[in-house]
Amino acid sequence: MRHYDLVFFHPPSLFDFRKRPWFPGPIARTVQQFTPVFIMFPIGLISMADLLDKRGYHVKIVNIGEKMLDDSSFSVEDYVKGVDSDVFCIDLHWAVHSQGAIEIARLCKYFHPNSEILLGGLTATRFDKEILSKYPFVDAIVKGEGEDSLAELMDSKDFSKVPNLTYRKKDGIVRSNNYDKPVENLDQYSFARIDLVEPTTRVLTIDAGFEKLKAWALPICRGCTLNCATCGGSAYSYENLMKREKPAFRNPKKIVEDFQLLDEQGINSIFLFQDARIGGEEYCLNIIKELHKEKWSKIEHVTMELFYPVSNSFLKQLRRFRPADDIGLTISPESGDEKVREAQGRRYSHESLVKTAASSLNQNISIAIFFMLGLGSETHQTLEQTWRVWEELIGLNRCNKESLVAVDFGPMLILDPGSLAFDSPWKHGYNLLFKNFEDHYNGMSLPSWKQWINYETVNLTKLDLIELTFKSSEKIIQLKQKYGYSSSSDASSEMFKISLDRIILKDIDQIFVLEDQEQRERRLKELSVITRDPLLSYSYVLTHE
C-alpha cells in the first residue's frame, strides 16, 4: 500500500445515493454531464495538489462520486479504509455536497483516527465554526484559498501556525486563525494537472451530438468584479470569505502552458471560464492571440465565457485570432426580464443580448445562452417574458443554416451560502428556509429535489418554484421541437418524464405524512423501483392521470 502525505476526496452530493431512494427529478436534465451526484470537483483542488506535488509531497485527488457511478460494486468503505494518508481533505465548496462531504469525513476519521480530517471550500468557509462544533470527526476547516495554507500545514504540522485555518484545540475550543494576504501571482499554479486525479473518464467526457469529447475547464483569474446577488463567487463573497479585494489575473503565457499540458493529455475541448474582459479588453485579446500562435494536436474546441454582451468588433477579432479550429461563447443573462436581470447583478439590455447572439451567428461563432429560474424579483409574468426571449433567441437560427444559438435553463434550487442574497436575504427578495449548515446537511439528506430547495422569494413559494420549473421544462421542450432541435418522439419522451416527476412529488408528499418510519421507507423504495423501470413508470403514469 502506497503512503500518501495528503489525499483529496471529492464527495458525491448524497453519500448513499446507490442505496437510498433518490429522486433528483428535472435536476438530472440540467446536469447531464456531471449527473445529480455532481461529480465535477472545484478547480482549486488541482492547483492545491499541483503545488504540494511540486514540493515533493505524495498527493492525489480521488473523485469518490465518479468511482461510485463507474462501478456498482465499488465499496467506499473498503476504499477509504485502504488509503494510507496523513491528511485527508474533503471539498465542501458547493452546498449541494453538504451531506456527502460530512459522511466521507466521518468515514475517514473512523478508519484513520490518527489522520487529520479537513474540509474546505466556500460552504465550509461560510459555516466553519458551526461545522467544527457539531461534527467532532472534522479536525479543521481551510478557509478561503487553500494552497499556501495546506503547504504550511504539511511543512509545520502545527495548526496554530497555519493561516486561513479554523480548528479544534485539544480542549475542544474552536479557534480561527487570521487570514493570510491572498496570492496575487497565480502563475505558480497549474490548473491542468489532471494526471493527479482518479478517475477522470466521466468528468472529462461530454456528448457533442454524435461526437464524444474530452473536455476540461481553465480559469482566467481568481476573484470577480461583479456582484451577482446569488453567486458565492461574487466580488462580495471573495472579499468576505477569502479576503480578496480584487481579482488576480493569470499571465496569458501561463494559460498557454496549461493548454499545452492538456493537449499532451489528450484533451480536445477547453472551457475558459470567467470573462477575460474584466481584466481589460487588451488582456483578453492577448490571451486569444497567444493561443492563436499555437498548433494543437488534440485541442479542437475552445469556449469562452461572457459576463455581459460583446461588441461586433471583438467578435471579429476573436474570429481572426481563433484559439482553436472551433470556437464558441457562453453567456448567462439569468432572466429575460431586464428588471429581474438588473436586480440579480446582470445590468444590460435585451437589445444588447439579442445583438450579441445575432452577431455571433454572423461571425459563424456558436453561443450558448443560459437562464436561471427562481430569482428574487421573479414573478409568473416575468417568467413568461423570459419564455418569449427564449423563442426570439432560438428563432435567430432560422436565418442561418447551422443552429449556432443554443438556449437552456436551470432552476437555482440552492441559494449559495456566502452570497449577498444569503447573507442579506430580505434586501434581495429572498426568504431562507435553510439558515445554517445543519439545515443544509439535513435537507440534502432527504430523497427529493423538492426537499433540497433552501429558499423562497418574496413572490414565489417553494411550490411556485417547483411548478415554474416544470412549466419551463415543458416550454423549452416545445420550443426545441418547434424549431427542429428535437423530434416529436424525443419531445414526447421528455414530456413523459415531466409527468412522471410531477406524480412522484405528490406521492412523496403523501409518504412523508406517514408516521410509521418503516412504512415510509418501504413506500419510498417501491417508488424508486418504479422510476427505474420504463414499463412500471409508464403504467404508473397512466394510473395517475
Side-chain angles (χ1 to χ4, degrees):
M1 179 189 300
R2 182 180 180 185
H3 172 78
Y4 289 93
D5 298 302
L6 186 147
V7 170
F8 293 96
F9 280 146
H10 177 63
S13 54
L14 179 69
F15 167 68
D16 32 13
F17 70 93
R18 295 183 303 182
K19 299 177 182 177
R20 288 197 197 186
W22 195 48
F23 307 94
I27 309 306
R29 186 196 67 83
T30 307
V31 290
Q32 291 183 39
Q33 179 188 350
F34 300 132
T35 78
V37 179
F38 291 90
I39 59 173
M40 184 58 202
F41 51 86
I43 195 69
L45 294 192
I46 294 287
S47 53
M48 288 186 286
D50 170 64
L51 180 65
L52 294 174
D53 179 71
K54 287 175 180 175
R55 295 195 178 189
Y57 291 106
H58 291 152
V59 58
K60 71 172 178 177
I61 302 167
V62 183
N63 193 334
I64 295 292
E66 181 167 345
K67 278 184 172 291
M68 294 174 76
L69 285 173
D70 272 349
D71 183 0
S72 60
S73 65
F74 172 74
S75 169
V76 183
E77 292 83 356
D78 289 346
Y79 185 85
V80 171
K81 181 179 180 180
V83 176
D84 179 28
S85 181
D86 295 336
V87 180
F88 291 93
C89 290
I90 300 103
D91 66 88
L92 177 49
H93 193 63
W94 299 295
V96 73
H97 291 98
S98 296
Q99 193 265 5
I102 289 297
E103 294 310 311
I104 294 295
R106 193 192 308 270
L107 272 184
C108 288
K109 181 57 78 173
Y110 178 78
F111 288 118
H112 306 281
N114 297 320
S115 297
E116 305 291 0
I117 313 301
L118 278 62
L119 297 181
L122 289 173
T123 301
T125 299
R126 177 61 176 78
F127 299 117
D128 58 340
K129 293 179 180 177
E130 180 192 351
I131 291 172
L132 287 171
S133 66
K134 292 180 177 177
Y135 304 96
F137 44 85
V138 178
D139 296 308
I141 304 287
V142 180
K143 301 180 294 185
E145 300 173 19
E147 288 88 357
D148 286 351
S149 297
L150 285 181
E152 178 63 34
L153 172 65
M154 299 308 295
D155 289 345
S156 70
K157 308 294 184 183
D158 185 348
F159 281 0
S160 67
K161 296 181 179 179
V162 179
N164 299 24
L165 197 74
T166 302
Y167 65 99
R168 188 187 307 99
K169 298 171 65 176
K170 291 183 179 179
D171 58 8
I173 295 175
V174 174
R175 176 181 175 181
S176 190
N177 294 345
N178 292 331
Y179 276 89
D180 213 353
K181 184 178 180 180
V183 172
E184 294 301 322
N185 180 14
L186 301 180
D187 296 338
Q188 59 187 304
Y189 309 137
S190 170
F191 296 89
R193 294 289 308 279
I194 55 178
D195 58 295
L196 295 172
V197 184
E198 69 168 60
T200 57
T201 303
R202 279 179 178 261
V203 79
L204 294 181
T205 304
I206 61 172
D207 289 313
F210 297 104
E211 184 181 14
K212 283 191 179 293
L213 300 175
K214 288 186 68 176
W216 188 244
L218 288 177
I220 295 292
C221 64
R222 181 169 285 175
C224 194
T225 58
L226 276 64
N227 260 325
C228 296
T230 63
C231 181
S234 66
Y236 163 83
S237 300
Y238 264 99
E239 183 172 3
N240 192 44
L241 298 179
M242 300 188 180
K243 309 308 175 188
R244 180 174 289 281
E245 296 179 355
K246 62 180 180 178
F249 293 92
R250 304 185 69 203
N251 188 308
K253 293 185 182 297
K254 188 64 180 178
I255 294 174
V256 171
E257 287 182 19
D258 275 357
F259 265 69
Q260 291 168 338
L261 182 56
L262 291 171
D263 193 50
E264 293 169 4
Q265 296 176 94
I267 298 297
N268 49 25
S269 180
I270 295 177
F271 173 45
L272 281 173
F273 68 91
Q274 301 158 303
D275 192 329
R277 293 175 299 160
I278 65 173
E281 194 154 306
E282 182 178 352
Y283 169 75
C284 183
L285 288 173
N286 282 341
I287 293 175
I288 296 168
K289 290 176 180 179
E290 288 294 332
L291 293 172
H292 179 72
K293 294 176 185 177
E294 304 296 322
K295 300 297 181 184
W296 313 116
S297 61
K298 295 291 184 182
I299 297 171
E300 304 169 5
H301 308 268
V302 172
T303 301
M304 299 181 68
E305 184 175 18
L306 304 177
F307 285 168
Y308 48 88
V310 68
S311 66
N312 193 51
S313 61
F314 179 86
L315 289 172
K316 288 181 178 179
Q317 291 276 60
L318 180 59
R319 180 77 179 166
R320 178 184 176 189
F321 299 106
R322 48 195 318 116
D325 290 339
D326 182 60
I327 51 176
L329 300 171
T330 180
I331 186 169
S332 300
E334 315 293 32
S335 173
D337 184 275
E338 288 186 12
K339 291 183 178 179
V340 176
R341 186 159 65 239
E342 183 175 355
Q344 171 69 357
R346 305 276 177 162
R347 296 176 175 85
Y348 50 82
S349 69
H350 170 69
E351 289 75 18
S352 63
L353 174 63
V354 175
K355 186 177 180 180
T356 289
S359 298
S360 298
L361 273 175
N362 292 335
Q363 295 298 327
N364 203 36
I365 296 173
S366 64
I367 183 166
I369 307 174
F370 192 81
F371 294 80
M372 186 183 292
L373 300 186
L375 300 174
S377 302
E378 194 151 69
T379 65
H380 291 79
Q381 290 70 36
T382 63
L383 184 59
E384 289 179 1
Q385 169 62 17
T386 293
W387 293 345
R388 289 190 287 270
V389 171
W390 290 357
E391 181 157 16
E392 182 179 1
L393 291 169
I394 293 173
L396 292 173
N397 289 308
R398 289 178 297 189
C399 305
N400 193 286
K401 293 181 180 179
E402 296 184 65
S403 297
L404 295 177
V405 178
V407 175
D408 213 334
F409 82 96
M412 184 163 61
L413 292 187
I414 302 173
L415 191 60
D416 280 356
S419 65
L420 277 163
F422 189 91
D423 289 351
S424 303
W426 284 106
K427 181 179 179 180
H428 296 277
Y430 295 90
N431 173 36
L432 296 184
L433 300 178
F434 300 172
K435 294 183 172 66
N436 55 38
F437 179 75
E438 192 169 24
D439 288 343
H440 286 84
Y441 171 83
N442 291 332
M444 299 303 139
S445 301
L446 296 172
S448 170
W449 66 281
K450 173 184 178 180
Q451 297 162 313
W452 307 341
I453 300 174
N454 73 348
Y455 74 97
E456 293 181 330
T457 76
V458 293
N459 300 312
L460 303 171
T461 66
K462 182 187 283 194
L463 291 178
D464 290 329
L465 295 172
I466 291 166
E467 184 58 26
L468 292 180
T469 297
F470 283 135
K471 287 185 176 180
S472 295
S473 297
E474 292 168 343
K475 189 66 177 181
I476 202 78
I477 291 167
Q478 293 164 357
L479 289 174
K480 288 184 176 181
Q481 183 184 4
K482 178 178 178 180
Y483 290 94
Y485 281 101
S486 62
S487 65
S488 58
S489 61
D490 288 340
S492 296
S493 176
E494 291 300 314
M495 286 293 193
F496 173 80
K497 291 177 183 177
I498 295 172
S499 298
L500 178 63
D501 287 336
R502 283 181 182 273
I503 298 169
I504 286 171
L505 280 191
K506 292 180 181 178
D507 275 8
I508 290 175
D509 285 343
Q510 294 173 1
I511 290 171
F512 268 81
V513 173
L514 298 173
E515 295 183 3
D516 187 316
Q517 182 69 26
E518 290 186 7
Q519 186 181 5
R520 184 191 298 180
E521 291 298 323
R522 184 174 65 254
R523 289 280 303 280
L524 286 171
K525 288 178 181 178
E526 290 171 354
L527 194 57
S528 180
V529 170
I530 290 172
T531 62
R532 294 196 300 269
D533 187 301
L535 290 178
L536 289 176
S537 295
Y538 183 71
S539 299
Y540 176 76
V541 171
L542 285 180
T543 57
H544 284 74
E545 286 184 339

